[in-house]
Amino acid sequence: MPFFSEIGVLHLIVYIPYYYTVLCKTQFLLVSHTIQLSDNRPVMVIFTENRTEKMNSLFHRLHLEGRHLNKLKTADVHQLSAHSLQSHKESCAEDELIQTYIQKLLMMDYRARYIKTKETNEKDHTQQSANDSSEIEGDIFKEMNFSNEATSQSDLIHPMDVQMGVFHCADGFLKQLMVTKLSQCQYALPLLVPDPFTQQIEFPLWTFRQINKSWKMTNTNNETISQTQPIYKAETPMVSFFRFGSVSSSKSQLMNSLINEKHNTFFHRNCPGSSRTRVLIDGVVEIAWFCPSGTVDDKFTDCVAFCNLHGDAGDHEKQLQILTEMASVNVVLLPQLDRNDRNAAKIQNLYKNRKPLICLFTEDVSAATETRKGKYKIGLKGRNQSDVSEELRKTINDCLSESSSTFRLENVSKLSDIRVDEENDDDCRRGREAAKQMMSLLGKKDQTEIKELFLPHQGKLWQQWSQKNKELHRLRGDEIEMEISRKQTEMDQIRQQQHESDISEFIKLFIKEMNSDASNKMIFLKWLRILLDEHTSAELRDLHNKYDEAWSNILKLKEKEDKSDLKAQKQSEFERITEELQDANFGLEHIMREIGQIYESCSSVKENKKDLQIDFSSLPSLAAEMMISGFPLELMDGDAAHVPMIWISAVLDQIIQKLGDQRVFVLSVLGIQSTGKSTMLNAMFGLQFAVSAGRCTRGAFMQLIRISDEMKTQMNFDYILVVDTEGLHALELAGRSIRDHDNELATFVVGLGNVTLINIFGENPSELQDILQIVVQAFLRMKKVNLFPSCVFVHQNVSDVTAGEKNMDGRRRLQETLDEMTKLAAKEEVCDAESFSDVIRFDVQKDVKYFAQLWEGNPPMAPPNPNYCENIQELKKTIMSHASKSVKMTMMLINRQTQ
C-alpha cells in the first residue's frame, strides 16, 4: 500500500463503496473496520453498505420479499388460521413476526408493537448459561470488562420496522384497515412516508378516511359540547416536534407525556423491543391527536394534533419544511447552539419565523424562559421529567392561546412535491369520482326526504308488505280461506306498486357502476360508504344532541314523578326526534335494501322493470360479489324487522354458484343494545361492523370469513358466516311491542347460528333476567323443530376476571337463573323442561366467559385493554372447539333455514 505509507497521519479514513454502481442519491450505512499498515500505524476503513441492501435484508427476514410489488391484501389477513388461534404474549419466531403483528393489531391489542423474537431470547439465555460458573469466587475485572462491540441486541428487528414493513407491502384496503386499527389502539399514524426505495414522500390520505375522533369541550358559557368528526376534516391546532443532531433525551417519550402519560402513543427508544438499528422509520412523520374529555383533568382544552418527525431533521429537509409551514407551534430538540453547526441556518430561520418556537436543550438546566415574544427555551439536563412535561405543556398552551392558525389533514394533499396515494392510484381516483357523481344527486336535500325520494321501493310499501306477511303467517286456525286469500291479494298489490315505482337516478348509477367490468368496484363501494357517512354525520350529530337532551328531560320528570301534560309533551317530542334519527341514517345498507326490493318486486310480478337497464336476475350477483369481497350484507331489515327471503335466497344461490356449496359454520350474537356486540366481533375477526353511537346496528348483518387451507382439514368447514344483530330492548322501539320484537329477533338469530354468543354487560340482575328469558324461549322453539344450536355466554365489563371464587359464584347464579327462566319459558311455550340442560347441551364451566372492561382507562384517550384482547382470544378458541363438534352446514342449508 504505497499510498498509505506516504501519509504520515495516525488515522486514515478511506471510503470504499460497497456497491459502486448505485446512483448518487442512494443512502448509505457506514460500517467501520480497523486494519494495520506495515509500519504498525492503525487505519480505520469505513465501508459504505448500500441502504437498499439493508432493506432487502430486512424484507427477507420478515418474509416480505417482493411484497412491495405483489401487495398483501385484506383477504390474506381476513382468514382464520391455526396461527390466529395461538396466543403470542411476548415473543414469537422471526418468520412469524408479520403474522403475529397483524393478528394482534386486528384484535386491537396494542402489544402488537412490542413482540420480540424467540431466537434472540434463546441465544441470550444460552450465552448467559455458558458464562455461569460453579466457582464461588470470580474476577470482576476479567469477567465484566468493558466492550465496544455490538451485542446480539443490534440483530433485533426494530418494532417500527415490522410496522412500516407491513405498511409498505400492503395494498390500499389493508393499509386503511391497518391505520384504522392503529388509531383504535391510540397509536400515532403515518402522515408523511418516504418510499424506502425511491425516497419519494407519500401522504397516505386514503388510510385516514375511516377514522372518526370524538371529544368534548367546554364553551364560554361553561357548557360541554360534544364533537365527533372524520379526522381528515377536523380543523385543529397542530404542534410539530423534531430534533437536530443526536440528543440524549427521547423526543417521542417527551411527546407521550403530553398526550397520554400511561400509554406510548409514539414509539421511543425505551419501549419494549427497541433496538439500536432501524431501517424504515427515519424520515417518517407520524401524527396523533389529543382529544379532551371535557373535564378539569384535560391537558389541553381543545383537540390538538401532534406531529413527530423521526430521525435527524437536518437529513429530511422536505418533511421539515412541510411541518414548519403547517404547524401552529414548532418544538425543536437540540443538544446545544453552535453557529458552526451544519443546521445553524435552519435553526436561525425557525427563530426568525413568525410562528411560536420552543427550543428544548438537552445540555441545559434552565427552566422555561421566554427569550422574545413567542420564542421559548427549556432545559432538560438533570431535570425531573414530570416538571419538564408540565412546563412544556403550559408553554404550548400559552402559544396556542396566542395563535389562530389551524391544521386540516385533508389540506396536506395540496402541497407540492409529495405523492398523494388517492391521486396516484387510478382505481382509487376512478372509484372516488363515481361515488362523488352519485353523491352530487343528493344535493342539499333534507335527510328525512332522501329515502323517500331516492329509495321509493322500501319505506312504507315494504313495511306494509312485511306487516301483512307476518299477519299471514300468524293466522289463527279459525280464520277462513277467504281471509288468507285477501291478505295475499293485498301483498300482491303492494308488490305491483313497488314494481311500478321508478328507479331513481341515484340507484341507476349505482347499478351501472357495480355491473361494469371495472376493477375498482370495491374501491367505489368504500368511497360511497365514506362519502355517505360524511354526508350524514353533521345532521346525525345535531340530532344525537337533541336526543340526549330530550331523554334527559324525560328522566328528570320521572324523578319528580311528574304526571302533567308536560311529561306527555316531552315524551312525544322524544319519539319525534327518535324517528328523525332513524330517517337520517343513510348508508350502504339502505342502497342494497333498495336493490333487494327492486329484485323482489320484479320476481313477484315475473317481469323486468321498464327503467332497469339490466335483467333483474343479475342483481343478486352484485350482492354476492360484495360479500365474497368482505363487505357485510343486511340479512334482516332493521326498519321493517323482516328478512327479505326472496332476495337473501337469491344472493346465497349466487354465492353457491361462485364459490360452490361450501361448508359453513354460522356464528351469531345476541344481547342488549350498546353492550359491545359489534366491538367483540370486530376484535375477534378484525372486522369493521359499525360500532359508533350514531351507527348502532339495526336488524342483522352477515359477513363471510374464509378458513385457511390448513384449518379446513382440522375443522371440516370452509367459511365462518358471522351474523351481527341489533340490540334487544332498543330505546327507539319504546312505542312498539318490544317483547314481541325481541322474541322474533332472538328466535331468528338462535335458529340460524351453530353457536350464538349471548352478550351480557355489567351485573344488572333485572336486565340479565330479561335477556335470559328471551334466550331460553328461543332455544325451546329450536328444540321443537329439531334444531340443536349451542351457546356461549359472554359476561362483559366484569371488574375482576381473575377472581376464581367470584367467577365460580357467578356461574352458579347464572345456572340457577337459567333453570328458573327455563321453567317460566316452558310454560309459555307449553312444553316440559325443568332445567336449561333439558333444552340445550351446555357446560357452565366452559361456556361462560368473563371479560375485562374494554378500555384501559377513560375514553376518548384510553387504548383497548390488553386483557380484553386475551379474553377475545380465549373465546375464539372456545368457539372453534364448538365448531369442530358441530353439525356441518352448507350454504344451501343456510339458504333453506333463512326461509
Side-chain angles (χ1 to χ4, degrees), residues 365-376:
V365 297
S366 62
T369 307
E370 187 173 16
T371 58
R372 63 165 54 201
K373 180 69 173 175
K375 311 300 176 186
Y376 300 83

Side-chain angles (χ1 to χ4, degrees), residues 529-540:
R529 187 158 67 181
I530 290 165
L531 295 179
L532 282 169
D533 285 348
E534 181 184 317
H535 183 80
T536 59
S537 60
E539 189 164 340
L540 277 172

Side-chain angles (χ1 to χ4, degrees), residues 269-291:
R269 64 183 68 164
N270 298 314
C271 283
S274 181
S275 64
R276 294 187 181 92
T277 58
R278 60 188 198 183
V279 181
L280 299 175
I281 194 63
D282 279 355
V284 173
V285 175
E286 288 189 306
I287 187 168
W289 286 265
F290 173 82
C291 296

Side-chain angles (χ1 to χ4, degrees), residues 747-791:
T747 302
F748 174 71
V749 169
V750 167
L752 191 61
N754 292 95
V755 170
T756 301
L757 300 179
I758 312 299
N759 196 52
I760 301 167
F761 190 82
E763 300 178 82
N764 188 323
S766 61
E767 285 191 359
L768 178 64
Q769 191 162 322
D770 283 349
I771 189 174
L772 290 184
Q773 186 164 355
I774 294 167
V775 167
V776 171
Q777 202 157 347
F779 278 111
L780 278 169
R781 291 173 180 176
M782 294 307 104
K783 189 175 182 181
K784 283 183 177 180
V785 292
N786 294 320
L787 289 176
F788 301 98
S790 56
C791 70

